[in-house]
Amino acid sequence: MALVERKHVDGDVGRLSEATAGDFIALLKPRVMSLVVFTAFVGMVLAPATPNPLLAVIAILAIAVGAGAAGALNMWYDADIDAKMARTAGRPLPRGRVAPGEALGFGLFLSAFSVMTLGLMANWLAASLLAFTIFFYVVIYTMWLKRSTPQNIVIGGAAGALPPVIGWAAITGSVTLESLVLFLIIFLWTPPHFWALALFKTGDYARAGIPMMPNVAGEEHTKRQIFAYAVLVAASGVLPSVLGFAGMAYGAVAAVLGGGFVWYSWHVLRMDEGDRAMGPAKALFAYSLVYLFAIFAALLVDGMISRIGA
Amino acid sequence: MPDDDRIRPTEKELKARRNRSIAIALALAAFVIIVYLGSLMKLGPSLFDRAM
């Protein structure tokens, strides 16, 4: 964080911050937060219990704020590398809008409050899972894995995969096979999603010194890994139907969506080595976002229909 | 300390501080309402059913 800290040490001592509420909201990574809210909500709907609607909304809010707090702590720690990448250079810390201390305090404060709120309003198992998710994302992924191994997002993906488990636990007070299948879908989806991005952002990651798979093991190896994971993603997508907690219609939708994932990954695998435009990798990245949203939307619809029918 | 040695906030800094203050006030008010309603839902009407 040398670049950012120097600015504040040299020039801004004693000055009031110019950060607005919008800058602090940006620290929460609202787009990531929206995915967390959605997947946690699906976990809640699929859970075999009917929650008090207000307590369910509070639980969702607590999970969202906890995820946002983890994002703020990630931006606090990663300000130095964020400044070097075009994709992240506009974040509040690299731009000097928010001081590192402000981001750290904000992230720690919201982490504590979100965990306490979830514990008091839902249950302490869900709160413990939220605390673990924040810890895993900030300490295990951000501080340790991200800068040290090309398997960073494989292991770190566990943090992003936990929200539906937390949602499920908030309603039932337990962690079951069904919720772990939801975890598995996101966990297996994460590597091909980020490696597709890393393929066409190799320069960015190289400048920042982050050992993403294409930078360390090469493009060909990454493409093979993406394809292997795509097959696993497609298989995991139909598991809810196979295990009986989603209907056959969901299974058919998941099979089609999974087939699409494999198809896009196949095009990445066949992508010419000299293809610098990386069209297939960009297409897979875009499709992977659609896939995750669609598969959870399908689970949501299936869950809603089951509830109405019950 | 003489007045001139003090750092005078700029208009932009004052405006940003006001913006932050309003956001904090709204967030705290929302938190109080959430805890109040959440407690009512969690504990039920018995929350108020106590011997004086």
Side-chain angles (χ1 to χ4, degrees):
Chain A
M1 283 167 293
L3 281 174
V4 177
E5 279 170 356
R6 180 182 231 121
K7 181 180 181 336
H8 285 277
V9 168
D10 290 347
D12 294 344
V13 174
R15 290 230 67 96
L16 276 179
S17 170
E18 288 184 6
T20 61
D23 292 314
F24 283 92
I25 289 170
L27 283 180
L28 302 176
K29 298 191 177 180
R31 270 187 292 181
V32 176
M33 200 195 256
S34 64
L35 202 61
V36 166
V37 167
F38 183 55
T39 55
F41 177 66
V42 174
M44 283 181 164
V45 170
L46 295 184
T50 306
N52 177 298
L54 182 70
L55 290 177
V57 169
I58 294 173
I60 285 278
L61 270 175
I63 295 167
V65 172
L73 293 170
N74 166 276
M75 286 200 206
W76 160 71
Y77 192 80
D78 276 350
D80 58 339
I81 53 178
D82 281 351
K84 293 176 186 165
M85 297 199 290
R87 189 171 68 87
T88 51
R91 287 177 174 174
L93 271 106
R95 281 174 59 213
R97 298 282 302 168
V98 175
E102 290 174 324
L104 175 63
F106 186 60
L108 289 174
F109 177 82
L110 290 186
S111 296
F113 260 72
S114 58
V115 170
M116 294 296 287
T117 305
L118 191 61
L120 292 169
M121 295 296 161
N123 58 66
W124 290 102
L125 173 66
S128 309
L129 285 168
L130 181 62
F132 176 75
T133 303
I134 297 169
F135 168 79
F136 197 88
Y137 185 66
V138 177
V139 178
I140 306 296
Y141 170 69
T142 305
M143 295 181 178
W144 177 28
L145 299 170
K146 186 172 178 179
R147 301 176 194 229
S148 61
T149 167
Q151 294 295 322
N152 47 16
I153 43 115
V154 176
I155 308 164
L162 277 166
V165 184
I166 303 172
W168 184 289
I171 302 302
T172 63
S174 64
V175 174
T176 61
L177 179 64
E178 292 93 326
S179 63
L180 291 177
V181 168
L182 302 181
F183 169 89
L184 188 68
I185 292 171
I186 306 177
F187 183 71
L188 292 172
W189 166 90
T190 307
H193 168 73
F194 279 106
W195 285 336
L197 174 75
L199 275 175
F200 60 88
K201 292 282 183 190
T202 313
D204 249 11
Y205 285 115
R207 262 193 305 283
I210 303 172
M212 291 301 279
M213 186 68 82
N215 301 69
V216 176
E219 282 182 18
E220 286 310 308
H221 179 78
T222 306
K223 289 181 202 170
R224 284 196 296 274
Q225 291 275 314
I226 285 176
F227 186 75
Y229 270 95
V231 173
L232 293 174
V233 169
S236 70
V238 294
L239 270 181
S241 214
V242 173
L243 293 173
F245 66 95
M248 291 310 289
Y250 162 79
V253 172
V256 171
L257 287 168
F261 207 114
V262 173
W263 188 78
Y264 277 100
S265 302
W266 172 252
H267 281 278
V268 171
L269 186 64
R270 299 281 308 273
M271 187 168 69
D272 190 47
E273 215 171 322
D275 182 358
R276 292 298 90 194
M278 298 260 179
K282 288 174 183 169
L284 173 63
F285 179 72
Y287 179 78
S288 65
L289 285 167
V290 173
Y291 174 86
L292 195 67
F293 176 79
I295 204 104
F296 273 81
L299 277 167
L300 181 64
V301 171
D302 190 273
M304 295 268 197
I305 291 170
S306 301
R307 271 179 188 271
I308 293 165
Chain B
M1 189 165 70
D3 259 8
D4 290 341
D5 287 352
R6 290 187 188 154
I7 295 170
R8 293 181 189 283
T10 63
E11 273 303 310
K12 204 174 174 187
E13 286 169 345
L14 289 171
K15 202 175 163 190
R17 184 171 66 178
R18 184 173 163 74
N19 177 288
R20 291 197 302 272
S21 300
I22 291 170
I24 290 169
L26 290 175
L28 282 175
F31 185 69
V32 168
I33 293 167
I34 282 170
V35 170
Y36 177 72
L37 293 178
S39 302
L40 275 183
M41 294 296 161
K42 189 99 179 149
L43 303 171
S46 61
L47 184 66
F48 300 111
D49 188 17
R50 291 169 185 227
M52 294 302 283

